Amino acid sequence: MWIRLAAFAALAIAPCVHAQAPSPLDPLTLDAAVDRVARTHPDLRLPTLQRQAAQARLDGAGLKPALVFGVDIENALGTGANRGFDATETTVTLAGVLERGGKLDARRAVAQANLDALAPQREITRLDLLAETARRYLAISAASAQYRIALDDIEQRRRAVAAARLRLQAGASPASTLMTAQAALAQAELDRDRAGQAGQAARMALAALWNARQVDFEAVTGDPLQLPALQPFQALATLLAQTPELAVIANEARVREAQLQLARSQQRSDVSWQLGVRRQRESGDNAFVGGFSMPLGSARRAEPEIRAAQAELAMSAVEREARALQLYATLAEAHGRYATARLEVQRMGSDVLPQLQKAEKAAETAWRAGAISYLEWAQLQAMRIEARQRQLDAALSAQTALIEIQRLSGQPLLATPAEGTLP
């Protein structure tokens, strides 16, 4: 499963994926969890509506200024010769605006750039949701692993209680030894119950991502201790150039460039024109009328907006550089954390835990023979459980770092089998 987790960015969230829902007795796979989230989470339905709105704005930006139909009536309802409608002059006009400076193309460019900017933003939303699904899935696996550690602790504490009871009955140890062993057993049972509650809460949190009010699964697949080898850091760093977060800034730069062109188009004044026909009721004569108007000083009024657009466009380059540095630092931290935690998990499993297990068994034998005190045996029991918990904590830290690396790059980053990838 955790190999799948490492490559979760390659899992396409698309409505065409439909895995069958597992029965309550079947473990929930990460693929099934992702599919449920993909089909129900509202954040993944928003981009479609946002694109429809942006497309509508693009259609509107391509419209030319509307023609205006008008009717003017003069010399009506007055006094004397202008009484009633005898001397009425009626003018029917058609007016419009002749845009200059490429304003129509500039508006289209701004609307198109805003439409194009939705694609990387949609990809960021998808990757963030994938990462959140993986983190909540990991929390369930972590609770299950802690539950198993608690069960192992309970089993060894029960052996200690049974042995202490036999020694008490034989008069070889005081009652305080039995009470101490029973207290240690109670603490282990508390750890088991706490892990069970944490697992239930984690399952509810995961189910909430697909808007479920009841949890219909009990277990998940995979072992968090299995950690694949990653590609070298420099190879991962080169992938940051394709990250959607930088693509968002690049698209914002294109939007600002289009806005700059739109601001520059305001330097040329638009020409308003009007044509019509005037009829004089008294004489019955008709005549054509026409006219045009153009505001003055457009270049001066457009200058502040042009300077503002130029500054915002220059900001895009600085923002991209700052974001690239931040992403690089985050990737370096996550990669280092993963490598350190992976090494700790491997060394704990190969060097520390086997020795502690042997020491704990030897201490049990020695205590039953009366060669050591109960405190020494209990201390070794606690050390072994603490070592297992430390190994699990390191594995969870590594898995969390791996999810962050995937979110940053948006690509599967497993090394080849020759580089140490676990099967």
Side-chain angles (χ1 to χ4, degrees):
M1 165 281 206
W2 295 111
I3 296 298
R4 297 295 295 164
L5 174 59
F8 75 86
L11 299 176
I13 293 187
C16 60
V17 181
H18 296 289
Q20 291 185 351
S23 69
L25 299 179
D26 294 333
L28 179 71
T29 64
L30 179 60
D31 285 352
V34 166
D35 177 65
R36 290 185 176 192
V37 174
R39 287 184 282 111
T40 59
H41 203 280
D43 284 352
L44 296 177
R45 298 198 301 269
L46 281 176
T48 301
L49 300 176
Q50 291 171 342
R51 183 173 182 82
Q52 292 175 358
Q55 183 62 53
R57 294 189 182 95
L58 176 60
D59 296 340
L63 298 177
K64 296 181 179 180
L67 296 176
V68 179
F69 175 79
V71 177
D72 292 334
I73 299 177
E74 301 178 11
N75 302 330
L77 302 177
T79 61
N82 294 328
R83 183 179 54 187
F85 294 94
D86 294 339
T88 300
E89 294 182 359
T90 304
T91 305
V92 179
T93 60
L94 185 66
V97 176
L98 178 61
E99 291 186 313
R100 304 170 67 230
K103 294 182 178 63
L104 177 61
D105 292 337
R107 287 198 306 271
R108 286 174 176 170
V110 171
Q112 184 64 55
N114 283 319
L115 178 61
D116 295 339
L118 293 177
Q121 188 60 53
R122 181 169 60 249
E123 188 63 19
I124 289 177
T125 300
R126 179 158 52 184
L127 289 177
D128 287 345
L129 193 55
L130 278 167
E132 183 61 23
T133 303
R135 281 191 287 265
R136 297 191 188 189
Y137 193 92
L138 176 62
I140 300 174
S141 184
S144 299
Q146 290 169 343
Y147 191 87
R148 291 191 295 271
I149 292 175
L151 291 180
D152 188 17
D153 193 18
I154 288 173
E155 191 275 333
Q156 69 178 9
R157 298 298 182 181
R158 283 175 176 170
R159 294 201 316 269
V161 169
R165 184 175 289 109
L166 290 177
R167 288 178 61 85
L168 176 62
Q169 293 172 352
S173 64
S176 60
T177 300
L178 175 59
M179 295 177 185
T180 302
Q182 289 173 334
L185 174 60
Q187 290 180 346
E189 291 173 342
L190 174 59
D191 291 339
R192 175 201 61 195
D193 296 340
R194 183 172 57 186
Q197 290 293 330
Q200 180 62 24
R203 286 190 290 272
M204 292 179 63
L206 178 61
L209 284 178
W210 56 78
N211 199 28
R213 297 297 182 262
Q214 298 294 331
V215 178
D216 60 353
F217 63 94
E218 289 296 330
V220 296
T221 60
D223 182 3
L225 298 181
Q226 292 189 4
L227 300 172
L230 292 182
Q231 298 177 16
F233 172 73
Q234 292 304 325
L236 301 183
T238 59
L239 297 176
L240 290 178
Q242 288 79 39
T243 182
E245 296 192 40
L246 293 183
V248 167
I249 298 178
N251 280 336
E252 288 179 354
R254 284 191 284 272
V255 172
R256 291 172 179 177
E257 185 176 358
Q259 290 173 338
L260 174 59
Q261 295 301 321
L262 180 60
R264 286 173 174 169
S265 70
Q266 302 300 321
Q267 290 179 308
R268 300 191 64 182
S269 301
D270 297 336
V271 177
S272 299
W273 57 268
Q274 178 177 297
L275 296 175
V277 177
R278 175 175 297 172
R279 177 176 176 79
Q280 296 179 348
R281 181 180 179 87
E282 182 179 2
S283 63
D285 296 331
N286 297 323
F288 285 101
V289 296
F292 72 92
S293 63
M294 183 175 64
L296 303 178
S298 297
R300 179 173 55 83
R301 288 193 298 272
E303 188 62 28
E305 190 65 27
I306 293 175
R307 293 201 310 269
Q310 289 173 335
E312 291 178 352
L313 180 59
M315 286 169 52
S316 297
V318 179
E319 289 173 354
R320 179 180 174 84
E321 182 180 359
R323 187 56 181 158
L325 288 175
Q326 183 181 7
L327 292 175
Y328 186 88
T330 303
L331 179 64
E333 187 275 334
H335 190 275
R337 180 155 47 95
Y338 180 85
T340 302
R342 182 172 182 263
L343 175 63
E344 184 175 358
V345 170
Q346 292 175 337
R347 294 293 296 274
M348 292 291 292
S350 61
D351 299 338
V352 178
L353 284 172
Q355 296 299 325
L356 285 176
Q357 187 173 8
K358 293 178 182 178
E360 191 271 330
K361 290 183 178 179
E364 180 180 1
T365 302
W367 185 73
R368 291 179 184 276
I372 61 173
S373 65
Y374 169 76
L375 182 61
E376 294 176 273
W377 181 25
Q379 185 176 10
L380 281 171
Q381 287 179 324
M383 287 179 62
R384 189 168 75 89
I385 296 301
E386 289 174 1
R388 288 189 61 185
Q389 185 62 51
R390 176 180 172 181
Q391 183 190 37
L392 176 60
D393 292 340
L396 296 178
S397 177
Q399 295 288 358
T400 303
L402 185 60
I403 293 172
E404 182 63 15
I405 293 173
Q406 290 289 343
R407 189 190 68 82
L408 290 174
S409 66
Q411 300 185 32
L413 304 177
L414 293 184
T416 63
E419 294 173 303
T421 302
L422 299 177

